[in-house]
Amino acid sequence: MKGHVWRPLYVVIGIVVLLLLFRFFYVPDDFGIQDQGFTFGFHRLSNEQEWKDFPAKYKGTEYCNECHDDKVASISSSQHEMIPCEDCHGPARNHPEDPEKLVVNRSRELCIRCHSKLFMPSSGRNDIPGIDPNTHNTGMECSECHNPHNPSLEDM
C-alpha cells in the first residue's frame, strides 16, 4: 500500500495509545459506575464518604412539616402537592437557625416554568393549566392573585 494510507493510520493509532496512557495514569482505579450501575453515574468509590459528610442543602417536605404542618397539609391537598416546599422557599439548610427566615421566590418566572401554555400532546404537560405570559396580567407577580398553597381557581 501507499504511504498516504499508512501515515494517517499510524497517526490515529498513536493518538489512541496516547489517550489510553493518559487515562491509565490520570483516572483513579476506583473511578467507575460501581455496583449500583448508572444510578449515581461515574464517581470515585473513595469519594462517597466525603459526599455523605457534606451538609444537606435541601431537607425535604418532612422537615418542613415539623413546624409548618398546617401549610404542608394545605399544599398536600392542592394541585401543587408534588412540588417540594424548597422549590419556592429556597433551601432549608440549617433553618430555622441559619437562615432564620427563608426567602420566598414569588417571581413570575418561577410559576411560568410550569404554567406557560405549551402544546405537548404526548406528555402529561398539557394537563397543567397554562397561560400566555405575554398577555396574562403582565407586570404582576402570580402570587398577587393566586395562592400557591391552594392554587384552585375556584377559591380565588
Side-chain angles (χ1 to χ4, degrees), residues 16-37:
V16 169
V17 167
L18 285 174
L19 286 172
L20 290 174
L21 282 171
F22 175 78
R23 187 182 186 286
F24 178 77
F25 289 109
Y26 184 72
V27 177
D29 292 334
D30 64 344
F31 182 78
I33 57 171
Q34 315 309 332
D35 57 346
Q36 288 101 1

Side-chain angles (χ1 to χ4, degrees), residues 7-88:
R7 276 190 295 263
L9 182 61
Y10 290 143
V11 169
V12 169
I13 291 172
I15 290 172
V16 169
V17 167
L18 285 174
L19 286 172
L20 290 174
L21 282 171
F22 175 78
R23 187 182 186 286
F24 178 77
F25 289 109
Y26 184 72
V27 177
D29 292 334
D30 64 344
F31 182 78
I33 57 171
Q34 315 309 332
D35 57 346
Q36 288 101 1
F38 287 99
T39 304
F40 299 109
F42 289 95
H43 67 285
R44 285 185 298 129
L45 191 60
S46 60
N47 194 20
E48 285 183 358
Q49 191 58 45
E50 185 180 331
W51 282 105
K52 288 177 184 176
D53 296 340
F54 194 81
K57 183 176 180 179
Y58 295 96
K59 301 286 188 170
T61 303
E62 299 81 27
Y63 180 79
C64 303
N65 195 42
E66 292 175 19
C67 300
H68 305 284
D69 55 341
D70 56 331
K71 296 290 185 191
V72 171
S74 168
I75 201 161
S76 294
S77 62
S78 80
Q79 295 162 326
H80 283 168
E81 67 181 320
M82 78 292 293
I83 301 173
C85 303
E86 292 164 306
D87 277 13
C88 301

Side-chain angles (χ1 to χ4, degrees), residues 104-124:
V104 181
N105 183 354
R106 298 181 194 281
S107 72
R108 180 177 178 87
E109 289 75 25
L110 179 70
C111 302
I112 288 175
R113 288 189 330 194
C114 295
H115 291 287
S116 184
K117 193 135 192 98
L118 297 175
F119 298 99
M120 300 178 164
S122 63
S123 74

